[in-house]
Amino acid sequence: METAAFYGLGTVSVVCALAMILSRHPVYAAIYLIGVLLSLAGLFVVLDAPLLGVFQVLVYAGAIMVLYLFVIMLLNLERESGIKLWKNWRTYVGLALTGVVGIMSLSSVEQSFRHPSAPGGLEPVKSFSTALFTDPPLLLIVELLSVLLLVAVVGAAYLGKKSGGADVAADTPANPPQQNA
Amino acid sequence: MLQPIHQPTPHSRTRELESRMIPTEQYLVLSAALFVIGAAGVLIRRNAIFMLMSIELMLNAVNLAFVAFARNWGDLAGQAFVLFVMTVAAAEVAVGLALMVVLFRVKNTLDTDHTDLLRW
């Protein structure tokens, strides 16, 4: 059961990932990325993390990818044309560097891990949530991340503001922010 | 530090279950493969939105490794860190896409070769 799920979902994720980086149209790339995210959500469920699988579907495939598609549609990005990926020297430098990364990461996969513990016992979701909100280091990180999210929201709102963009465009010292009607 | 996910079980049952489980190394190989594909995407594509999506792919590959290790050691800290990575990714996407909207408004392209305002 786990074997079939692992090989099926793993194949889907790798194929979708390759299709994503090689596709020309941003919308297709986003859809392939959603395929990767959904198959990884399935793998999370197989790996005894059903809560993370649900979060993966809700937060990643739901919220974040909708944001991507929204921006792609907003900017009206078309299919890339006139880009010869295989005639650019940078592609080959990139692939060589990727090969180095791949060799490094694969060579660090050791063969001596303890065997996985068998399922059963504690409720995963309950113990996970309890640990997240009672363990002091994790609780500190949760609080810091809430501040990070607030900062990101403020930053995104500031960048999205029309006058903020105009300042960058004019490349001049900061104009006083204009009041929008 | 944290409670293990699973209570230890009798030896015979553990052995029987282990024979049907995928070992952690195979999950790590899959994670490394996805990470490498994401790195290739960042390195060979010149479109900012493709690069951001490839970074998402790399973050997800790391998440898979975290979850695999969480099961391997029976420690919930790995799963907690996946949640943190997701949060950071959401923040990164919000700011990154806002930057892209501004970039498109200024330069009318997302090609990073044409984004050289701060380059010398």
Side-chain angles (χ1 to χ4, degrees), chain A residues 119-168:
Chain A
L122 286 174
E123 268 183 86
V125 175
K126 191 177 173 190
S127 49
F128 175 71
S129 317
T130 309
L132 197 60
F133 288 106
T134 52
D135 193 43
L138 294 185
L139 188 59
L140 177 68
I141 300 176
V142 169
E143 295 299 329
L144 288 177
L145 283 177
S146 66
V147 177
L148 175 75
L149 279 178
L150 178 68
V151 171
V153 166
V154 172
Y158 177 74
L159 286 171
K161 214 172 52 168
K162 200 159 182 121
S163 61
D167 285 347
V168 180

Side-chain angles (χ1 to χ4, degrees), chain B residues 107 109 111-117 119:
Chain B
K107 306 286 284 187
T109 178
D111 194 332
T112 49
D113 282 344
H114 297 122
T115 313
D116 48 8
L117 280 173
R119 255 187 229 165

Side-chain angles (χ1 to χ4, degrees), chain B residues 11-83:
Chain B
H11 190 71
S12 59
R13 184 161 167 259
T14 310
R15 177 68 58 82
E16 187 241 338
L17 278 164
E18 273 172 5
S19 64
R20 281 192 279 131
M21 288 177 112
I22 298 278
T24 305
E25 297 94 65
Q26 297 200 23
Y27 283 102
L28 292 183
V29 170
L30 176 62
S31 164
L34 288 176
F35 187 88
V36 164
I37 294 172
V42 172
L43 289 170
I44 70 177
R45 297 306 295 254
R46 294 289 100 199
N47 190 322
I49 208 149
F50 281 95
M51 294 168 84
L52 202 60
M53 280 198 258
S54 301
I55 291 172
E56 292 296 315
L57 183 58
M58 291 163 80
L59 287 171
N60 271 282
V62 173
N63 279 353
L64 180 62
F66 266 128
V67 177
F69 275 121
R71 188 185 69 165
N72 191 64
W73 303 115
D75 191 340
L76 282 172
Q79 295 192 12
F81 271 94
V82 171
L83 204 59

Side-chain angles (χ1 to χ4, degrees), chain A residues 90-103, chain B residues 43:
Chain A
R90 218 165 4 205
T91 301
Y92 297 101
V93 175
L95 287 181
L97 285 174
T98 307
V100 173
V101 173
I103 290 167
Chain B
L43 289 170

